[in-house]
Amino acid sequence: MEQTLIIVKPDGVARGLIGEVIRRFEARGLRIAKLSLVDAPKETVESHYDEHRSKPFFADVVAYLTSGPIAVMAVEGPNAVTACRAMMGATNPADAAPGTIRGDFALSLEENVVHGSADPESAHRELGIWFP
Ligand code: ADP
Ligand code: MG
């Protein structure tokens, strides 16, 4: 059994999509093991996005993720990391297939509704940050 870190980002929370995101994962057979609605501290988001520290969009993505409440969850199931990434769709919603969360609910690269861990190592690291 595997866990992955999923975040419904501020745009998703503001648009009332927490339930829709959870519904999709649960319908797939995944389990919500942990769930928390938080106004994330800047330092927490910075360590969450540590891999992007040198990128030009780092400051913007940190500012964005701290702009409103986010729903942070541990989603559990066989191959949860890969399953959730596939259900989320491509990072840029313009490239995300219909039927994926981003493909159905987003148009903006920054406001793309959800975060999901990229691989099991990232999942372990991110779960440790948000659920110490
Ligand atoms: P993912 O969320 O699919 O794992 P990344 O880890 O590459 O994607 O990027 C983290 C987040 O940063 C993305 O979800 C997106 O909101 C934002 N982002 C990524 N690339 C850019 C970019 N070139 N310009 C602005 N924001 C970006
Ligand atoms: Mg990523």
Side-chain angles (χ1 to χ4, degrees):
M1 209 54 93
E2 188 171 83
Q3 283 194 359
T4 188
L5 190 278
I6 297 291
I7 298 177
V8 181
K9 296 183 180 184
D11 60 304
V13 174
R15 291 167 62 202
L17 293 174
I18 298 174
E20 173 66 22
V21 171
I22 289 177
R23 188 196 65 75
R24 288 179 177 226
F25 290 140
E26 288 185 329
R28 185 78 187 271
L30 297 159
R31 190 176 80 86
I32 309 303
K34 293 173 187 168
L35 173 61
S36 173
L37 190 67
V38 293
D39 289 299
K42 188 176 176 214
E43 302 69 41
T44 307
V45 174
E46 284 175 344
S47 53
H48 170 79
Y49 276 135
D50 192 49
E51 69 188 283
H52 296 310
R53 248 176 228 278
S54 60
K55 308 267 174 69
F57 60 85
F58 181 71
D60 285 345
V61 81
V62 170
Y64 175 59
L65 229 73
T66 54
S67 67
I70 58 175
V72 187
M73 57 194 95
V75 177
E76 184 179 277
N79 301 307
V81 172
T82 304
C84 289
R85 287 291 287 198
M87 292 173 72
M88 287 162 50
T91 301
N92 189 341
D95 303 322
T100 64
I101 294 168
R102 287 164 170 170
D104 287 349
F105 296 109
L107 286 170
S108 147
L109 173 56
E110 182 162 84
E111 301 191 5
N112 58 3
V113 187
V114 278
H115 165 84
S117 307
D119 51 55
E121 295 69 35
S122 305
H124 182 75
R125 190 186 72 82
E126 293 170 7
L127 286 162
I129 291 171
W130 293 100
F131 297 107

